[in-house]
Amino acid sequence: MRLLHRASSWRSLFADGESPDPARLPPLLAPLRDALSELGPAPTLPDAHAWQPRLVEALTRLDLPAWRIGQLISDHNDWLYRRAIQLAQSEMQGLGWGAPPVAFCVLIMGSGARQESLLAPDQDNGMIIADYPDSRHTEIDGYFQALGERFTDRLDEAGIPLCSGHVMARWPMWRKRLSEWSEQLTLWTAERRTKRVQQANILLDFRPVYGEGALAEALADRVARLLPRAGLFLDEMGVLLDDLPMALDRFGRLSSSLEGAPHERAINLKRQGLLPLVGAARLLSLRHGVREIDTRERLAALVVKEVLPAERCRALTAALERLQGLLLEEQCNGLRTGGGADGWVDVSRLGEDQRLLLRHDLLQIRRLKRRAKRG
């Protein structure tokens, strides 16, 4: 296969089980070829994860936009997941566990599912197990608990930390038979309970990363049948959008109101900009039966459904891309200067034109939040 001969081929970069071969890349892609050569043909999981900032540097030199770089970071994280699961299965085989007793599918959730990952995400994953008799629960769930613990530990050791909220396949809450997931969704969406909406918000952005994809498709079908009719549940989801404050004051000026800001001019652009956009697009999509997961595709699908005008979609898509670009640049700066990669952006580092655009984008997102709450 000839890599990267057209835009869609970028997504083939980490699609195979092995690391990409730099010798197969043309001279035009020298920055990426050099970065892959530094990684080597058989990196450990920690080395492969630690290499991600180098990947971002190479892709930036190739003038890829931040949204495309986010897709490729997500693809690389998928590669890390698949490798961690394969290593965990091999280890279990060697210990006498045998092959998986039934079909299963590991899900990735959150920004990874939306293919919008930036640097330094933690783990958000789950597992769907094919239905089996209750009489075999101890045997079968015991296998998948061991698998979940092993692959999430490997990812943690590689530098993708365990989720502090326990959203991982190692825990029974996020590891269920397909029928149990269906029952769980029915229970969560039947009432207007804040905690259940918060849990569903985590689950509803999911994508298969390993195993039997038909299980994930069956769960997606269940979501598509249930959610558009769950009016009270969706209304509560709209109320919870208010828990994601915008980085604007009541006069529409840039403002940070969050505790823990590293300094006066810092805005948590992930929490005060990106997540409100993602959440509003998710809510509108669920209300109107849109099955796409990534935010760009959700916005486009809402135009097809005549929920949003095309001009609004273009403005929000541009806003999403600019927010991703600002966050990725700030994360890279943080790593270069010995800090971490987080969601904070130093507004004082932005030019006047960037601040004006940021204010414009946040006002667009505020309007989308209000639109999503109306239904």
Side-chain angles (χ1 to χ4, degrees):
M1 178 180 63
R2 295 180 62 191
L3 283 176
L4 312 184
H5 63 284
R6 59 185 184 274
S8 62
S9 295
W10 283 110
R11 305 305 302 278
S12 69
L13 189 60
F14 300 109
D16 298 330
E18 302 300 323
S19 295
D21 181 1
R24 298 168 67 187
L25 298 182
L28 185 65
L29 300 179
L32 179 59
R33 187 181 58 192
D34 294 345
L36 288 168
S37 297
E38 292 173 19
L39 179 65
T44 64
L45 286 180
D47 286 345
H49 181 261
W51 171 79
Q52 275 191 0
R54 181 70 178 88
L55 170 66
V56 172
E57 178 190 352
L59 297 174
T60 301
R61 289 180 60 194
L62 290 169
D63 289 330
L64 263 68
W67 66 269
R68 177 69 79 189
I69 294 175
Q71 287 181 335
L72 292 172
I73 294 173
S74 300
D75 290 345
H76 188 248
N77 284 333
D78 286 357
W79 186 91
L80 294 171
Y81 262 82
R82 292 192 298 270
R83 186 64 180 142
I85 296 166
Q86 290 163 352
L87 290 170
Q89 285 186 291
S90 295
E91 179 183 53
M92 291 176 68
Q93 286 267 19
L95 293 172
W97 284 85
V102 294
F104 72 102
C105 180
V106 175
L107 306 175
I108 193 165
M109 302 177 191
S111 61
R114 296 189 303 272
Q115 301 177 341
E116 296 164 1
S117 292
L118 300 179
L119 295 172
D122 64 358
Q123 294 185 46
D124 285 308
N125 55 68
M127 189 184 296
I128 308 173
I129 304 169
D131 287 330
Y132 56 81
D134 289 343
S135 60
R136 297 188 64 194
H137 179 74
T138 300
E139 166 209 350
I140 293 177
D141 189 64
Y143 176 94
F144 290 112
Q145 178 182 347
L147 178 61
E149 290 173 351
R150 281 172 167 81
F151 88 73
T152 54
D153 279 343
R154 286 181 180 275
L155 289 171
D156 181 53
E157 292 164 3
I160 305 178
L162 298 173
C163 175
S164 59
H166 306 295
V167 182
M168 294 173 290
R170 64 192 292 136
W171 302 109
M173 177 74 176
W174 302 100
R175 184 187 69 250
K176 300 180 189 295
R177 287 174 280 188
L178 178 60
S179 59
E180 291 172 322
W181 275 119
S182 181
E183 292 168 6
Q184 185 76 77
L185 274 172
T186 301
L187 177 66
W188 279 351
T189 59
E191 299 178 273
R192 185 171 179 163
R193 291 197 182 183
T194 300
K195 184 63 176 177
R196 289 177 178 175
V197 176
Q198 290 171 331
Q199 291 168 330
N201 259 335
I202 298 169
L203 172 66
L204 290 171
D205 290 353
F206 71 85
R207 182 172 51 82
V209 71
Y210 187 90
E212 182 53 66
L215 293 169
E217 186 63 26
L219 185 59
D221 289 342
R222 183 62 175 160
V223 170
R225 290 194 300 270
L226 272 178
L227 268 296
R229 303 194 303 269
L232 291 175
F233 174 87
L234 294 174
D235 288 345
E236 183 64 20
M237 189 178 286
V239 170
L240 288 180
L241 281 177
D242 292 332
D243 291 343
L244 296 171
M246 302 296 301
L248 296 168
D249 63 18
R250 60 195 181 102
F251 301 108
R253 299 172 301 198
L254 293 179
S255 173
S256 177
S257 59
L258 295 183
E259 294 183 2
H263 53 79
E264 185 179 352
R265 299 284 286 170
I267 288 176
N268 191 320
L269 202 55
K270 178 180 178 181
R271 185 177 173 194
Q272 295 179 277
L274 192 59
L275 291 183
L277 172 54
V278 166
R282 178 194 303 119
L283 175 54
L284 272 177
S285 296
L286 293 171
R287 286 192 188 277
H288 296 279
V290 170
R291 295 185 61 149
E292 281 78 6
I293 297 299
D294 83 83
T295 306
R296 290 168 56 88
E297 291 187 3
R298 278 174 166 164
L299 292 170
L302 288 167
V303 175
V304 175
K305 294 271 188 176
E306 299 184 343
V307 178
L308 293 177
E311 182 180 355
R312 192 85 169 279
C313 171
R314 286 193 294 269
L316 288 165
T317 302
L320 171 64
E321 294 172 6
R322 283 190 286 264
L323 294 186
Q324 290 173 310
L326 287 173
L327 279 166
L328 189 60
E329 182 179 359
E330 198 74 2
Q331 288 184 339
C332 290
N333 286 335
L335 291 172
R336 277 195 296 267
T337 57
D342 54 33
W344 293 97
V345 168
D346 183 353
V347 179
S348 66
R349 293 167 58 93
L350 305 181
E352 181 63 24
D353 58 336
Q354 290 178 298
R355 289 195 291 272
L356 288 171
L357 269 175
L358 177 56
R359 177 177 177 272
H360 167 79
D361 291 341
L362 294 177
L363 288 170
Q364 293 288 327
I365 296 168
R366 176 186 278 178
R367 288 179 61 198
L368 182 68
K369 282 179 62 177
R370 292 169 179 165
R371 172 67 182 85
K373 291 178 68 174
R374 291 199 307 270

